[in-house]
Amino acid sequence: MRRSISVIALAVAAALAVTGCAASTDDAAPAGDSTLYVLTSDTELTFDPATNVNFPTTWMGLIGRRLTTWSTESGTVEVVPDLATDTGTASDDGETWTYTLKDDIYFEDGTPITSADIKYGVERTFAPELTGGLTYHQGLLEGGADYTGPFDGDELASIETPDDKTIVFHLNSAFGDWPWIVAMNAFVPVPEGEGTDVATYGVTPVASGPYRVESNDAGSETVLVRNEKWDQATDEARTAEPDKIVFRQSQNPSTVAQTLISDTGDAQTSINAAQLGGAELSLAHADPAAEERLVTSDGGLLYYAALNNDSPTLSDPLVRQAVQYAVDRDALVLAVGGADAAAPASTVIPPGVPGHEEFDLYPHDVDKAKQLLAQAGHPDGITLNLWVANEDTAAAEALQQSLAEADITVEITPLDIGVMYGDAMGGNPDYDMFLSYWIPDYPSANSSISLLFLSQYIDGGYNLSRTDDADLDAAINEAIATTDLDEATAKWSAIDRQVMGLASELPLYVTRNSFLRGSGIATFEVPAYPSFPNYLTLSFNG
């Protein structure tokens, strides 16, 4: 699991991919060949599964299938079979996972997709020439630490392909989230021997999904057309209604918003790729017709303050609890843009991720905060140092004002984001509080908890609160090894309360993402996670 200096930026980049052409009313059908236009500020789209970190429900999922994938139809993201017949069978010890491939699955040239193609695709991700992709599997597969990819003829022995339909993975230890892992882009099949030219494969990869790349001109546009070898009967996650999808690159966000508000021509079946900013949202709200076409998620990035357990002041759990009671999350939401931009958060597991439950152990109570401070020996209040990235000072100032009501003085230290994380993770945690944000790479509570709270990640990892609790470590490791997803989800829910009981993390708010659909695009919902439209199921009116 990895935190998101890069992941957040890449997750936002994952949003840069939807735009359609619409009709003039919500009852109208798109004219012509049902082309969906994607208006994005991105200047390049690359489809190499070894380096692409987009969510499976965004544009990478249109080109590449994988063993499993995500469904958002229920409102909560679920893992479902994709190329495989099920989400995997674990051995009794949880260290071996076996998958059987479906019949009638093909690459765009009509070649059947085999287990060897999936094995080769995974092995490519180990090549040192290919960097930037998600690498969870590399640390989990036996021998992964020493493997350097297939380009010199070596194979990874922990991936077995006893026949064309069967693939077996041998892990270093039990890992219950493996069905989520094999939904990542690393498990998109690549025909054996393809993709050796690592500089060009991402421009026009071999497609296994419902679309193939017809053209891909950096800075201009990318055109996807139907992969005629894709069989809808084998795919429960994708509807693939548009005949063509055109990604118009290098678009100005303000111009995109104005175009979508006008809802004329191609804009009628378009949608913004990146979430709308505050100025664009104001324009949309000012137009009643546009406002009806706004779609806003219930979640997104979780902003939080890590409370340093090694800090002389915050090492006392009573003081950490006082800080929890003192924060006014509603005031913070107003400060960062109001209900359009954020929603209060009081848990570690964010909305939309299995295991999330609504609870608040520390409802806003200034008197309670002051009582706890006095009990801890600070009747006149305390002073805390807050590290914050330069771009997040507005949130820091709102937190400062909120805590001041409880006689908690916050001294803000704005820093370059790289310096800030480098010092905190490099053994120089000279802060009381650290303002950060997180979005899981995949929808499991494991991805929201383990890296942030296991004691092994205190130095060199994202345990910025420096939480070191043996009972918590044991509970997390037990949940990681649980292969029954429902049982694991229940354990993670309990761990969320355990973490909040330690008061090591101060959840503040989750961001909300807004998108403006053209009137020719059918109404859709943006889940709390992933907080972007599901490109796999976008459809037209009529």
Side-chain angles (χ1 to χ4, degrees):
M1 288 120 285
R2 87 173 153 185
R3 169 56 175 77
S4 302
I5 300 172
S6 60
V7 172
I8 297 300
L10 292 166
V12 170
L16 304 179
V18 196
T19 309
C21 47
S24 59
T25 72
D26 271 9
D27 295 325
D33 63 352
S34 73
T35 301
L36 179 68
Y37 295 91
V38 179
L39 309 180
T40 171
S41 59
D42 204 1
T43 58
E44 181 181 16
L45 297 186
T46 177
F47 296 88
D48 193 323
T51 59
N52 187 295
V53 297
N54 292 122
F55 293 133
T57 52
T58 55
W59 48 269
M60 186 64 193
L62 299 169
I63 295 294
R65 299 178 69 179
R66 57 295 307 274
L67 287 170
T68 65
T69 193
W70 301 358
S71 171
T72 61
E73 296 310 293
S74 69
T76 298
V77 64
E78 298 177 288
V79 62
V80 297
D82 195 358
L83 292 173
T85 57
D86 57 29
T87 58
T89 301
S91 59
D92 290 342
D93 62 5
E95 296 182 5
T96 301
W97 287 83
T98 302
Y99 293 84
T100 301
L101 301 188
K102 296 173 179 175
D103 296 327
D104 302 321
I105 51 175
Y106 303 97
F107 288 114
E108 62 180 86
D109 64 358
T111 303
I113 297 170
T114 69
S115 56
D117 299 314
I118 295 172
K119 173 181 168 70
Y120 177 73
V122 176
E123 289 174 338
R124 279 185 79 247
T125 69
F126 287 83
E129 304 97 314
L130 292 163
T131 59
L134 298 179
T135 58
Y136 294 84
H137 59 289
Q138 295 183 7
L140 293 168
L141 287 164
E142 287 182 353
D146 300 319
Y147 183 61
T148 57
F151 297 152
D152 58 2
D154 287 345
E155 295 187 13
L156 186 58
S158 56
I159 306 177
E160 294 181 335
T161 54
D163 56 56
D164 287 348
K165 291 285 188 181
T166 306
I167 187 164
V168 183
F169 301 95
H170 297 278
L171 311 184
N172 292 312
S173 59
F175 192 77
D177 276 353
W178 192 250
W180 291 112
I181 299 299
V182 299
M184 291 180 175
N185 294 330
F187 292 81
V188 169
V190 177
E192 289 189 272
E194 294 285 346
T196 55
D197 186 343
V198 299
T200 62
Y201 187 72
V203 179
T204 53
V206 180
S208 52
Y211 297 93
R212 60 180 177 82
V213 178
E214 181 179 69
S215 62
N216 193 358
D217 299 317
S220 178
E221 70 175 23
T222 300
V223 179
L224 307 185
V225 296
R226 289 196 180 279
N227 170 12
E228 299 296 340
K229 303 303 180 181
W230 171 76
D231 185 351
Q232 172 75 77
T234 70
D235 195 335
E236 66 180 86
R238 300 168 181 83
T239 55
E241 181 175 312
D243 293 319
K244 181 186 292 186
I245 302 178
V246 178
F247 300 89
R248 289 176 173 165
Q249 302 172 24
S250 306
Q251 302 291 302
N252 179 279
S254 178
T255 303
V256 167
Q258 294 173 25
T259 299
L260 290 169
I261 290 170
S262 73
D263 199 40
T264 58
D266 291 345
Q268 293 178 337
T269 50
S270 298
I271 185 173
N272 53 300
Q275 60 268 29
L276 295 175
E280 290 76 29
L281 274 171
S282 296
L283 289 174
H285 284 310
D287 185 308
E291 189 171 41
E292 289 183 0
R293 293 183 276 112
L294 273 176
V295 186
T296 301
S297 70
D298 289 326
L301 308 182
L302 171 65
Y303 270 79
Y304 69 94
L307 306 185
N308 187 352
N309 285 220
D310 289 342
S311 154
T313 306
L314 291 177
S315 59
D316 187 338
L318 291 178
V319 177
R320 298 198 300 271
Q321 291 170 19
V323 174
Q324 298 275 351
Y325 280 111
V327 69
D328 184 348
R329 295 183 177 87
D330 291 332
L332 262 69
V333 167
L334 288 175
V336 298
D340 275 342
S346 58
T347 65
V348 173
I349 303 174
V353 173
H356 170 78
E357 294 180 352
E358 291 290 342
F359 68 90
D360 188 354
L361 298 186
Y362 310 99
H364 180 51
D365 188 333
V366 172
D367 290 338
K368 178 70 171 178
K370 290 181 177 180
Q371 291 169 11
L372 287 169
L373 288 178
Q375 186 178 343
H378 304 285
D380 298 323
I382 57 174
T383 298
L384 300 174
N385 177 28
L386 173 66
W387 282 14
V388 60
N390 290 320
E391 56 266 35
D392 288 327
T393 53
E397 290 168 358
L399 180 59
Q400 180 186 54
Q401 294 171 12
S402 177
L403 296 183
E405 296 181 19
D407 298 328
I408 300 173
T409 301
V410 175
E411 298 177 345
I412 298 173
T413 303
L415 295 166
D416 172 82
I417 193 169
V419 171
M420 183 171 80
Y421 282 97
D423 285 351
M425 298 166 68
N428 184 27
D430 188 23
Y431 57 85
D432 297 304
M433 298 191 296
F434 188 109
L435 186 63
S436 188
Y437 49 76
W438 188 269
I439 186 170
D441 287 326
Y442 64 97
S444 165
N446 183 3
S447 191
S448 293
I449 290 178
S450 297
L451 277 186
L452 277 68
F453 300 106
L454 276 175
S455 60
Q456 70 194 71
Y457 299 121
I458 286 177
D459 287 317
Y462 289 104
N463 187 341
L464 302 173
S465 65
R466 303 183 71 81
T467 299
D468 188 356
D469 185 272
D471 290 340
L472 180 60
D473 281 353
I476 291 174
N477 286 320
E478 179 183 327
I480 289 173
T482 301
T483 57
D484 182 283
L485 289 180
D486 291 336
E487 183 181 347
T489 296
K491 291 180 178 179
W492 288 117
S493 295
I495 291 170
D496 196 344
R497 293 177 182 271
Q498 187 175 357
V499 169
M500 290 307 302
L502 295 172
S504 291
E505 176 175 304
L506 177 64
L508 300 173
Y509 57 88
V510 289
T511 59
R512 303 183 72 192
N513 296 341
S514 291
F515 301 87
L516 184 58
R517 64 180 177 87
S519 59
I521 295 179
T523 301
F524 61 87
E525 294 184 0
V526 177
Y529 183 95
S531 54
F532 305 107
N534 185 342
Y535 297 175
L536 311 185
T537 57
L538 285 177
S539 61
F540 297 114
N541 284 310

